[in-house]
Amino acid sequence: MNNNRLHLARQYRYLAEAYLRFLLTHRCQPYPFRIHIQMHSRCNALCTTCPYVETSTRITHGTMKRDVFVKLVAELGGAKATSSVIFELQHEPLMNPDTFEWVHHLKTHAPTTKCQVITNGSLLGNFSLEEMAASGVDMLSVSLNAHTRDTFERINTGLDFETVMENTLRVAGHEALRQRLRVSYVVTEINQAEIGEAVAFWKARGVLTQVKRFTNRGGALPAYTSLRSSIPPERSVFGRAAARVRRSIRGIIGCPLPFYETAVLFNGNVILCCQDWNHDPVIGSIESDSLRSIWNGPALTSLRRNILARRYEGIAACTHCSIA
């Protein structure tokens, strides 16, 4: 079983248990399956598929205090949590020159966690291969989203195609890092014709690929309708089967995201999910409370009940979300 399938299998097992627990006790597991971390609030790109172009002009910007991150890591380590910590939440993590030092801290003090860094790839050249490998990062995911310069420039505005490709191929050339590298594509009308060629290109080089559906980011992306692909992204038999499972789950019990993932902003505020670019509602703060208490606290419990009943109209993050 490859890494993508293994991860999905773990996710579905976790989600099945989360729903069963919640129906019986109104609580989920002690910690989420996935924790998105926003190290800071900035990005160096203005992609057409991303709300950052608009939201960056009205949000408060800042950088996560190291002691807030250290507090979270100590909690996860003390609880021997098996969560996947993802350095990616509405920003470009590699703009922080200490990214892989933070990864190393996490893997040293919370060794039962998994760690993923998701990047647009433009700044990978700022880090040595040895530093990245030694950090202990479990997966380094590059959101490439295109296989030709023309398509890349139409989607990943502000970035240089050759630089990103060169950086990604450099990582792929390192034997240890190649096993942890993943190149991902969000399918849109702009890039749908070249996804097959892109996947074949990276497969020939021993690199894992991921092809994902496009969402409207909680309703924060006005261009969603015009950019949405008319072709389903699932190319393999497994991918199509997984998509059917996801659609069945959502059809029966609504959006699954708040049952298995959470998202922590740079200021410690916890929001409903990674799709909520408007940061409404805020359900707690890891600066003042433990993540465990927030994850099974009254605010999120109430929201989950509404989501199970598909009463989205009372949840700002869900009202216009394409997933919900």
Side-chain angles (χ1 to χ4, degrees):
M1 185 178 290
N2 68 31
N3 289 341
N4 276 344
R5 295 183 185 183
L6 183 60
H7 181 78
L8 278 175
R10 288 180 57 238
Q11 178 179 315
Y12 289 143
R13 284 196 300 270
Y14 178 97
L15 192 54
E17 184 178 345
Y19 279 124
L20 181 60
R21 283 193 182 201
F22 192 79
L23 290 171
L24 294 175
T25 68
H26 298 297
R27 297 176 68 83
C28 292
Q29 291 96 319
Y31 288 94
F33 179 80
R34 207 158 60 189
I35 305 168
H36 290 263
I37 300 291
Q38 185 185 55
M39 304 177 78
H40 56 85
S41 58
R42 295 288 186 180
C43 185
N44 61 340
L46 299 171
C47 301
T48 57
T49 55
C50 180
Y52 181 80
V53 177
E54 190 274 328
T55 60
S56 63
T57 64
R58 55 181 173 78
I59 65 170
T60 301
H61 289 280
T63 300
M64 181 173 281
K65 298 175 184 176
R66 183 176 172 81
D67 60 352
V68 173
F69 175 69
V70 168
K71 177 178 179 286
L72 175 61
V73 172
E75 179 184 349
L76 296 175
K80 294 182 171 56
T82 58
S83 306
S84 291
V85 177
I86 304 174
F87 289 96
E88 181 270 344
L89 181 62
Q90 304 165 9
H91 76 310
E92 170 48 52
L94 297 191
M95 290 178 70
N96 183 341
D98 297 323
T99 296
F100 290 101
E101 192 278 322
W102 283 40
V103 172
H104 186 262
H105 180 85
L106 171 71
K107 295 297 294 182
T108 300
H109 298 280
T112 54
T113 62
K114 297 290 184 182
C115 182
Q116 180 180 172
V117 174
I118 301 179
T119 173
N120 60 37
S122 63
L123 301 175
L124 277 170
N126 293 350
F127 302 87
S128 73
L129 297 173
E130 291 71 25
E131 176 186 7
M132 290 187 279
S135 70
V137 65
D138 294 286
M139 179 168 286
L140 184 59
S141 185
V142 180
S143 301
L144 196 50
N145 294 328
H147 193 57
T148 63
R149 171 191 277 275
D150 178 64
T151 301
F152 185 90
E153 290 179 348
R154 291 175 64 192
I155 296 176
N156 297 354
T157 308
L159 304 180
D160 180 72
F161 177 65
E162 274 73 26
T163 297
V164 174
M165 286 293 289
E166 180 182 332
N167 287 344
T168 308
L169 286 167
R170 170 174 166 263
V171 174
H174 187 281
E175 185 174 355
L177 287 175
R178 183 173 60 252
Q179 306 305 315
R180 312 180 212 173
L181 177 64
R182 182 176 70 186
V183 176
S184 69
Y185 299 87
V186 174
V187 182
T188 67
E189 280 292 325
I190 298 174
N191 66 5
Q192 61 184 16
E194 61 187 51
I195 295 297
E197 183 181 354
V199 169
F201 175 87
W202 292 106
K203 184 178 180 180
R205 288 157 179 78
V207 176
L208 190 67
T209 58
Q210 180 184 40
V211 180
K212 302 186 292 185
R213 283 186 176 272
F214 183 44
T215 74
N216 71 353
R217 312 301 179 90
L221 186 64
Y224 171 72
T225 301
S226 62
L227 291 173
R228 186 180 180 184
S229 172
S230 57
I231 300 174
E234 297 84 15
R235 308 183 64 85
S236 67
V237 173
F238 177 84
R240 292 192 295 272
R244 284 195 294 271
V245 171
R246 288 194 296 270
R247 286 193 292 271
S248 297
I249 290 172
R250 290 170 187 163
I252 297 170
I253 51 182
C255 178
L257 292 183
F259 290 86
Y260 72 90
E261 76 158 48
T262 194
V264 183
L265 298 174
F266 75 89
N267 58 7
N269 284 349
V270 179
I271 55 176
L272 186 58
C273 72
C274 65
Q275 298 287 321
D276 180 16
W277 282 72
N278 292 314
H279 307 163
D280 183 17
V282 172
I283 57 175
S285 170
I286 63 167
E287 193 163 16
S288 55
D289 297 304
S290 68
L291 180 62
R292 179 170 183 157
S293 66
I294 296 168
W295 179 244
N296 276 306
L300 193 47
T301 297
S302 176
L303 288 166
R304 287 181 180 132
R305 286 172 175 164
N306 286 332
I307 289 168
L308 277 175
R310 281 174 283 187
R311 292 193 294 264
Y312 297 123
E313 65 280 356
I315 308 172
C318 302
T319 303
H320 302 292
C321 181
S322 60
I323 296 177

